[in-house]
Every structure is written in C-alpha cells, then in structure tokens.
Amino acid sequence: MAKQTEIKELGEFGLIDFLTKNLKIKNESTVKGVGDDCAVIEKGEKQTVVSTDMLVHKVHFDLMYSPVKHLGYKSIIVGISDIYAMNVNAEQVLVSIAVDNTISVELLEELYNGMITACENYKVDLVGGDTTTIPQGLIINITAIGSAKKEKIVYRKGATKNEVICVTGDLGASYIGLLILEREKEVFIENSEIKPKLEGHDYILKRNLKPEARKDIVKMFDDLKIKPTSMIDISDGLSSELLHICKNSKVGCKIFEDKIPIDEATYNTARELNLDPTMAALNGGEDYELLFTITLEDFEKIKNNSDITAIGHITDEDYGAKLITKSNNAHPIKAQGWESFKE
C-alpha cells in the first residue's frame, strides 16, 4: 500500500497548493482564482471580489469564553477583512452555519444579532446562506462579496524593489488576549470558584473577541488617490503575510524589529507571560490589520498618519525575507503564524 501523507506534513497553505495544483481556469470572467485574499470575477464595468472563511468551535473560537454576540460580530469581520485587503468595499455576505442539537435557538439568535450589528456598522447586506446539523459543535462559514473597477483592485502580487512596507494599527494584541483567555479557562476548569483575572486587559481582549476591519484605510486610499502596489490582511501573523507578498510578487523584504507597532498593553502583558512581544506580532495572527507596499511618492502622502507604520522595504528576491533585530542582526523570516492542521 502506498504511503499515506498526513495533512500536517503539508500544513494549510501546502495543502491548498496541493489540492489546487491541477485547477485550470475555464471562463474568461474568472480574473483571479485561488491564491489571493479573494477570487476576482469580471462582471461588466466592475469586477466582483469574493472570499470565504470558516470558523470552527474549539479551533477558531471557544464558547467557554467567547460572548456569542461578539462571536457573530467577529465572524463578519473575518470575512469582510479579506475584501478590504483587495482595496475594495464589502457589499454583501452570506452566512452558513452547522450546529448540533444541544445549541439553543436563543444562542443562535444572539449570534445573528452580532452579525447584524457588524453588517450595520460596515454597511454590508446579509443576503443569504444555509443551515445544517452536525454531531457536535458549531461551524460558521462567511462568504463576503464586494465590487470595484478593475484599476482599483490590489493583489498580493505587485510589490517591487525599494517600495515601502507598511502596516496599519498595532500587532500582536489579539494573540496575547487569546493567551489570557486560555489561561483563565484552565484555571476555571481546575476550580470554578475562582474568578477569572481579566482586569486591566480590556484592550487586548477586545482585539481578540471583537476585532474591527480596516474599511477606513480603503476610504483613505481613495480620498488621497493612492493605490498600494500589493496588500493583504494580517490574519495569520505578520511573518506569514509578508512571505505571501514576497512569494506572489517574486521579491524579498527587509523589516526592522524596532519599527513593528506593538501597543503598550500588548508589550507589557507579553512580558508578564514571559513571551517576546515581537514574536507575538510576527506569529500571533487575528489582528485583521492591513499589510501593504507603496511607492515612495505615495508614502509621502501618508507618512504622518499615526495609524500607519513603515516597517521596512522591498528588496530583490535573492535577498530573501529578513528581520533586522534591535541588536542589528539579520534573521530569516519564517511562516510560524496561525496555520490549520499543524500540531
């Protein structure tokens, strides 16, 4: 019998590459298939961008500490963040859920209330979906849709040498918030009489349980007539996303540790947990900020924006992807962020 390959040997992205290696585009309307934040489909004067994301209980969330309304809100954010990463406004979502029979109608109503709140905040229409049953747990699948003129859409490819690498907001907070939640969950399991110690962690907990998507950045680009040369949302960790841009653009990159934006609460809590805050930013994931490259000319238009940080620049492909540490040592960037199927 031929050797059976375990999925963990490939990892999430390796598995996607393996399963889709023989796909061939058959329709002229398919502009972009597998390999970016969204698929892109030609539809008249505009192109439609479509993305789908799945959230699974005990893999992507835990009902022991995830407020159900926040979970509904977050599930929409996870979906529409990919649309904004294409420099496009999200317009519609479809929601499919699979639930076991122990989950109440009231819980699902609260879940949908969170989804509806997110849709109202981001001016997105919830236009359909599906429901079914599973033996155990809860699965949420979000399909997000947007549209824009061809010349406005930004892909992971497109970065060229000497362009500036930027990120929005700050990084690592969601991951550190998750670690606090997991720590207090373990304490509760051991002794349900002990009150969770969550005081002083409001910012990092909110970043994990109820994140926001960067629609405002897409509007800013439009207002300033800026088009990033490449872009991706930071869902799997900065390191993984940088490597996606480098791979798709066939370039290298150099980023500087002391330039990575890390909130004070994230930094201090990481230290309390004996963790390196930089590693949390590089590998943590679920920040839903935007990572993009931009020409020097366009960077001049945004360099004074306190919500955008230049962390490095694009290099030749031969240079590879490197992190320059605070002690001025160069380390190869490795994809160690969130990845399904890893142990």
Side-chain angles (χ1 to χ4, degrees):
M1 182 178 176
K3 178 183 178 292
Q4 299 296 299
T5 305
E6 293 187 15
I7 293 175
K8 67 183 180 184
E9 293 180 37
L10 298 181
E12 179 183 4
F13 305 119
L15 179 64
I16 292 170
D17 289 341
F18 178 79
L19 295 176
T20 60
K21 65 181 184 294
N22 294 321
L23 286 180
K24 292 181 174 59
I25 300 301
K26 303 173 188 66
N27 297 287
E28 290 184 4
S29 58
T30 304
V31 178
K32 178 66 178 177
V34 176
D36 216 296
D37 285 284
C38 298
V40 180
I41 303 166
E42 192 79 58
K43 291 294 179 186
E45 293 183 359
K46 290 186 176 183
Q47 293 181 339
T48 299
V49 297
V50 184
S51 180
T52 189
D53 284 277
M54 190 178 298
L55 292 83
V56 180
H57 185 222
K58 297 293 180 71
V59 177
H60 303 99
F61 62 89
D62 192 324
L63 290 174
M64 275 195 71
Y65 53 69
S66 296
V68 178
K69 188 172 183 178
H70 286 176
L71 175 61
Y73 192 98
K74 180 176 180 177
S75 65
I76 298 297
I77 297 305
V78 170
I80 64 177
S81 180
D82 284 330
I83 305 295
Y84 299 129
M86 305 292 288
N87 200 37
V88 177
N89 279 318
E91 297 169 346
Q92 294 91 18
V93 292
L94 294 96
V95 177
S96 295
I97 59 170
V99 297
D100 69 42
N101 289 326
T102 66
I103 291 179
S104 68
V105 172
E106 287 74 19
L107 184 148
L108 294 180
E109 180 183 32
E110 189 74 354
L111 182 75
Y112 270 76
N113 283 340
M115 292 178 180
I116 291 167
T117 300
C119 288
E120 289 174 347
N121 288 351
Y122 286 85
K123 304 295 186 288
V124 173
D125 296 322
L126 201 167
V127 295
D130 192 18
T131 59
T132 189
T133 184
I134 50 175
Q136 187 174 23
L138 168 64
I139 298 173
I140 305 166
N141 188 82
I142 306 293
T143 298
I145 305 167
S147 65
K149 291 184 177 180
K150 175 181 179 179
E151 58 269 21
K152 189 175 188 294
I153 297 175
V154 177
Y155 296 88
R156 295 176 183 179
K157 66 179 182 180
T160 59
K161 186 179 178 182
N162 295 327
E163 289 175 346
V164 184
I165 302 169
C166 299
V167 294
T168 63
D170 58 83
L171 306 179
S174 177
Y175 176 64
I176 298 301
L178 174 64
L179 293 183
I180 292 296
L181 290 167
E182 286 287 340
R183 181 189 70 182
E184 297 309 308
K185 171 188 169 182
E186 293 304 316
V187 172
F188 179 81
I189 290 172
E190 289 291 327
N191 186 346
S192 60
E193 299 297 319
I194 298 177
K195 185 180 178 181
K197 296 179 181 179
L198 302 176
E199 297 81 6
H201 296 308
D202 291 0
Y203 178 71
I204 59 174
L205 294 177
K206 183 178 180 181
R207 290 279 282 170
N208 180 266
L209 296 172
K210 189 176 174 287
E212 301 290 349
R214 298 313 306 255
K215 178 180 181 179
D216 58 317
I217 299 298
V218 174
K219 183 179 185 305
M220 180 201 71
F221 288 150
D222 194 47
D223 290 344
L224 295 176
K225 294 179 169 52
I226 289 172
K227 182 182 178 182
T229 55
S230 68
M231 188 155 60
I232 189 171
D233 77 325
I234 304 175
S235 56
D236 298 318
L238 177 61
S239 58
S240 292
E241 316 305 3
L242 276 167
L243 292 176
H244 281 313
I245 284 181
C246 288
K247 176 183 176 182
N248 283 266
S249 299
K250 294 181 170 53
V251 295
C253 71
K254 178 189 284 188
I255 65 166
F256 298 87
E257 181 183 12
D258 61 357
K259 299 295 185 183
I260 298 173
I262 300 173
D263 184 82
E264 183 179 3
T266 305
Y267 185 93
N268 292 338
T269 308
R271 287 302 187 194
E272 290 171 14
L273 297 172
N274 294 316
L275 293 173
D276 181 352
T278 300
M279 290 302 102
L282 285 171
N283 303 325
E286 289 207 318
D287 291 306
Y288 301 108
E289 297 292 346
L290 294 175
L291 166 68
F292 61 93
T293 58
I294 191 170
T295 63
L296 290 168
E297 180 184 6
D298 279 343
F299 178 68
E300 288 295 314
K301 302 176 186 178
I302 60 170
K303 66 180 183 180
N304 295 320
N305 188 322
S306 61
D307 202 29
I308 295 174
T309 306
I311 62 171
H313 59 269
I314 295 297
T315 66
D316 286 327
E317 187 174 18
D318 291 344
Y319 178 80
K322 303 269 176 54
L323 170 72
I324 309 303
T325 67
K326 293 174 183 177
S327 55
N328 206 34
N329 294 315
H331 289 288
I333 296 172
K334 297 181 180 179
Q336 296 176 318
W338 163 258
E339 190 175 341
S340 301
F341 308 115
K342 70 181 180 179
E343 290 183 292

